[in-house]
Amino acid sequence: MVAFHWTVKDNHLAIANESTVLSLSAEEVYEYWNGGSFGSFQLQPLEIEIPNLRRSKIGASLKARVSFDLNEKCLWLHILGVRKNTEHVLSFEKGRIIDQGIEDGQWFYVSGDIPTLERILEAAENAAPGPITIRQLLLLREQQAKDKTDIIDFDFEETEIKSLPPNSEDLPQGLVGRPYPYQKIGFSWLSFMLSECAGCILADEMGLGKTLEVILVFLSLAAKKETPILVIAPVSLLDNWKAECAKFAPSLDVVIHHGPNRTGFYKELLAHDVIVVSYSCACNDLSLLQMINWSLVVLDEAQNIKNPYSERAKSVRKLPRKTSLVMSGTPFENHILDIWSLVEFVLPGFLGTMEDFKKTFSDDHNGA
């Protein structure tokens, strides 16, 4: 029978045999320190295998911080233990914070509300120490507010966030034509936001060429050979989308999914780069469209979902997607709730529930 022995993994105590290394909690370290058992295996006293390690009576306090990394030009999540006014990086494995560590020959435990922090990180799409996306930042803030805690310190300036988008983005292969400079900037911004999994609202005025900016995104995504892109538009614009793609990006395989002869098999849709459907078709074929985790879902003339109670708004929010983009020259028409409906599609939950949003903001500007 193979025995386990003590070892140091990264910056904390673990036990290992010939094939496995297991990180321990602080409670388990205390239990095994003086020769406790691990399952059916017996451990040697820790002092025998790591003789120079001392057990500190001073623990560390749990701390989490999001800051802006100037070198990497990104947001960075830190999970730390603060001990004697010194910060120590804690190990993090498979969503679990290791609540013990080693520093300068001393072993120490970590105290704090670890379960809450782990739950917040999981809610933020398993955010882990290191670079995080803007979407994860928003989810961290949202979940922390729901939990009514300040366990994470957001230590950066908003101006640093604004410096994140690149000044330029190389135009993708396959483009026919020459975009205007402002369209190149728009494409760079869209690419950045989608790469951050944040989704976005493209609200340029009518006639400025929003469609070309989005087609550039299509070319960029199609090169990655992921799942198709879904475009939902009014019936009158379906042919226009196919024609514009044929004009500016003839390499894209674009199909209009509409009418009595449309397919009923989702695998047939997977064979194309871009699927164009109407809002009514998105509602009627929702079960079919839900079988694909779309790389991007685009809503053209997105004011069509301004009423959050409408069937079309409810349907498009149910579509599986990696990220979202809405296009509208008039994102705000009559009521401030129009904005909530669009943002709820782009970033679900970011503006809170509809009822909370209505209580906080009102059309007559008398809200809080």
Side-chain angles (χ1 to χ4, degrees):
M1 184 175 293
V2 179
F4 277 85
H5 61 273
W6 289 99
T7 188
V8 176
K9 181 181 181 183
D10 298 328
N11 57 350
H12 64 277
L13 277 175
I15 57 176
N17 60 22
E18 292 179 352
S19 60
T20 305
V21 179
L22 299 173
S23 297
L24 301 178
S25 67
E27 184 178 355
E28 290 170 325
V29 170
Y30 273 116
E31 181 179 349
Y32 305 140
W33 188 287
N34 294 313
S37 61
F38 176 70
S40 58
F41 304 114
Q42 192 73 23
L43 288 168
Q44 291 281 352
L46 193 146
E47 288 88 346
I48 295 176
E49 296 187 327
I50 310 180
N52 296 321
L53 187 66
R54 304 182 307 280
R55 181 163 55 189
S56 174
K57 295 181 180 179
I58 301 175
S61 300
L62 178 66
K63 179 179 181 180
R65 182 175 67 241
V66 175
S67 60
F68 186 80
D69 190 298
L70 290 173
N71 294 324
E72 298 292 335
K73 287 290 182 182
C74 67
L75 294 165
W76 200 278
L77 172 65
H78 309 263
I79 306 296
L80 308 163
V82 182
R83 181 171 174 268
K84 298 180 180 179
N85 296 319
T86 301
E87 294 181 344
H88 305 276
V89 176
L90 301 181
S91 296
F92 186 83
E93 297 180 357
K94 298 179 180 180
R96 173 190 168 203
I97 299 169
I98 307 301
D99 64 342
Q100 46 100 0
I102 297 173
E103 187 74 24
D104 297 329
Q106 284 193 330
W107 177 88
F108 61 88
Y109 62 90
V110 179
S111 61
D113 194 352
I114 289 177
T116 292
L117 181 55
E118 289 176 341
R119 184 175 63 254
I120 292 173
L121 299 181
E122 182 180 7
E125 299 177 346
N126 297 311
I132 61 171
T133 64
I134 289 179
R135 176 179 176 82
Q136 287 176 312
L137 168 68
L138 297 175
L139 291 172
L140 287 172
R141 280 179 159 169
E142 175 191 351
Q143 189 60 44
Q144 174 153 288
K146 287 181 179 179
D147 284 1
K148 298 180 180 179
T149 178
D150 58 357
I151 198 167
I152 302 176
D153 178 23
F154 296 98
D155 183 22
F156 57 86
E157 299 293 332
E158 296 300 325
T159 53
E160 293 175 313
I161 295 259
K162 294 178 181 179
S163 72
L164 284 173
N167 294 324
S168 64
E169 178 84 6
D170 292 336
L171 295 177
Q173 296 292 320
L175 173 66
V176 175
R178 186 172 298 176
Y180 289 108
Y182 71 84
Q183 289 176 312
K184 294 180 182 179
I185 294 172
F187 165 63
S188 295
W189 179 77
L190 291 173
S191 296
F192 170 76
M193 292 301 292
L194 297 179
S195 70
E196 292 285 301
C197 302
C200 50
I201 297 174
L202 180 58
D204 292 347
E205 292 183 7
M206 292 180 61
L208 291 180
K210 294 189 292 294
T211 301
L212 176 54
E213 293 177 39
V214 176
I215 288 174
L216 289 171
V217 172
F218 291 174
L219 284 170
S220 181
L221 290 177
K224 298 177 182 179
K225 303 295 182 183
E226 296 181 349
T227 53
I229 297 158
L230 180 66
V231 177
I232 304 176
V235 174
S236 60
L237 295 179
L238 300 186
D239 288 329
N240 182 69
W241 269 102
K242 187 166 185 178
E244 291 292 287
C245 287
K247 177 181 177 181
F248 294 110
S251 62
L252 289 176
D253 182 355
V254 182
V255 64
I256 296 176
H257 178 78
H258 187 72
N261 295 322
R262 65 188 186 274
T263 183
F265 301 97
Y266 81 94
K267 289 186 177 180
E268 292 185 15
L269 298 179
L270 291 173
H272 306 281
D273 296 318
V274 181
I275 314 299
V276 185
V277 306
S278 65
Y279 281 94
S280 59
C281 185
C283 296
N284 295 333
D285 288 2
L286 180 60
S287 59
L288 172 70
L289 300 177
Q290 283 181 309
M291 294 181 180
I292 299 173
N293 184 22
W294 304 92
S295 62
L296 171 67
V297 174
V298 178
L299 303 186
D300 192 10
E301 300 294 342
Q303 63 271 18
N304 277 275
I305 67 160
K306 66 181 181 180
N307 179 1
Y309 301 99
S310 67
E311 190 62 32
R312 64 183 59 174
K314 294 177 182 178
S315 294
V316 298
R317 290 200 295 264
K318 295 177 182 178
L319 291 168
R321 58 200 184 273
K322 296 178 182 177
T323 190
S324 314
L325 192 162
V326 304
M327 304 167 60
S328 176
T330 54
F332 176 77
E333 289 189 326
N334 301 313
H335 304 287
I336 199 167
L337 198 58
D338 299 354
I339 295 294
W340 182 90
S341 188
L342 269 60
V343 173
E344 181 64 13
F345 174 78
V346 170
L347 284 172
F350 179 58
L351 294 182
T353 67
M354 182 169 29
E355 294 306 316
D356 288 342
F357 184 81
K358 288 164 65 176
K359 291 177 183 177
T360 305
F361 304 99
S362 68
D363 293 320
D364 60 9
H365 304 290
N366 290 325

